[in-house]
């Protein structure tokens, strides 16, 4: 189902909870959106990460989505804004890292600050990406909500439709796994 009418029909089916329509829309627009993202930021990884976040957000909020006349245009705008927010976060992280470089003691550093430091080194960045790939989808989702979106455990539990204790335990297990895989760094 390509074209504005087809995308609009898929959008309406997504609003009613149709998972197949969600994946159909994702597949139909993926290449165009990723290419737009690459042209916007010049980074393939950032573009695909932003696009995945856009679609994850759409699925999470499917029941509250508004009607959209031009779905492709809507998604291009949504993607552009997501990329700009990610670039802004990246800039903030880089600024924070410049301040942290003067500090010598890594042993007492909170784990989320450790992850930020680790991302500056390309080899370690690759290791972190590999370690994240070993996590379950739910663990990755909760890591993103906690450390990149900055949500509290209560908000994470609400978004993920789980208990606060489950959110805490899932994040604890995910961080434990990451620590084990990244202990040499």
């Amino acid at each position: 189902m390509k074209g504005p009418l087809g995308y609009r029909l898929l959008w309406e089916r997504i609003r009613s909870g149709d998972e197949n329509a969600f994946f159909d829309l994702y597949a139909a627009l993926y290449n165009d959106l990723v290419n737009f993202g690459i042209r916007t930021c010049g980074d393939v990884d950032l573009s695909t990460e932003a696009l995945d976040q856009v679609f994850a957000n759409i699925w999470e909020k499917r029941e509250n989505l508004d009607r959209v006349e031009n779905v492709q245009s809507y998604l291009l705008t949504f993607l552009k804004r997501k990329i700009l927010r990610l670039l802004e976060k990246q800039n903030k992280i880089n600024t924070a890292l410049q301040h942290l470089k003067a500090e010598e003691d890594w042993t007492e550093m909170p784990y989320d600050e450790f992850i930020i430091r680790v991302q500056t080194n390309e080899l370690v960045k690759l290791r972190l990406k590999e370690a994240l790939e070993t996590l379950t989808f739910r663990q990755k989702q909760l890591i993103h909500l906690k450390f990149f979106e900055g949500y509290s455990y209560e908000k994470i539990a609400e978004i993920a439709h789980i208990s606060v204790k489950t959110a805490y335990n899932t994040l604890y297990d995910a961080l434990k796994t990451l620590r084990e895989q990244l202990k040499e760094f």
Side-chain angles (χ1 to χ4, degrees):
M1 247 191 236
K2 285 201 171 192
L5 180 59
Y7 299 148
R8 196 167 52 231
L9 291 173
L10 289 172
W11 184 264
E12 290 304 314
R13 287 175 41 206
I14 291 168
R15 290 180 65 211
S16 64
D18 185 339
E19 192 173 333
N20 289 329
F22 173 78
F23 288 113
D24 289 345
L25 183 65
Y26 182 83
L29 291 173
Y30 180 83
N31 287 334
D32 290 341
L33 292 171
V34 167
N35 287 334
F36 171 79
I38 293 168
R39 287 191 310 273
T40 301
C41 67
D43 185 333
V44 175
D45 292 335
L46 183 67
S47 177
T48 55
E49 177 185 348
L51 182 59
D52 289 344
Q53 288 181 24
V54 163
F55 273 92
N57 189 273
I58 287 169
W59 185 249
E60 288 171 5
K61 298 185 186 313
R62 65 189 172 275
E63 294 169 355
N64 299 321
L65 293 174
D66 292 326
R67 290 187 184 275
V68 174
E69 288 300 315
N70 189 335
V71 175
Q72 188 170 10
S73 177
Y74 175 85
L75 291 173
L76 288 169
T77 302
F78 194 169
L79 178 60
K80 183 177 180 181
R81 288 179 181 159
K82 179 60 78 175
I83 287 171
L84 292 174
R85 280 193 298 274
L86 288 173
L87 287 171
E88 185 178 312
K89 277 185 190 177
Q90 194 173 45
N91 188 35
K92 287 179 183 178
I93 289 170
N94 290 338
T95 301
L97 285 173
Q98 290 172 353
H99 290 90
L100 289 172
K101 282 183 183 177
E103 297 177 13
E104 293 293 324
D105 189 51
W106 284 46
T107 58
E108 296 299 319
M109 183 184 305
Y111 193 69
D112 53 342
E113 288 181 29
F114 172 75
I115 288 176
I116 291 170
R117 264 204 189 175
V118 166
Q119 289 178 344
T120 60
N121 181 314
E122 286 301 316
L123 175 61
V124 179
K125 206 175 190 180
L126 177 63
R127 289 284 203 139
L128 179 60
K129 188 173 183 177
E130 290 170 354
L132 285 169
E133 290 302 317
T134 66
L135 299 178
T136 65
F137 172 78
R138 177 67 81 184
Q139 288 174 325
K140 285 187 240 180
Q141 178 189 31
L142 297 189
I143 290 265
H144 175 77
L145 291 171
K146 180 68 178 165
F147 298 107
F148 294 96
E149 298 293 332
Y151 290 130
S152 67
Y153 286 102
E154 292 78 15
K155 184 67 176 172
I156 291 170
E158 180 185 327
I159 291 170
H161 306 293
I162 57 177
S163 70
V164 174
K165 185 175 181 178
T166 301
Y168 179 82
N169 288 338
T170 303
L171 274 165
Y172 176 82
D173 291 341
L175 292 174
K176 183 178 172 186
T177 300
L178 290 175
R179 277 189 191 105
E180 288 172 8
Q181 293 190 19
L182 297 171
K183 64 185 169 192
E184 65 191 54
F185 296 99

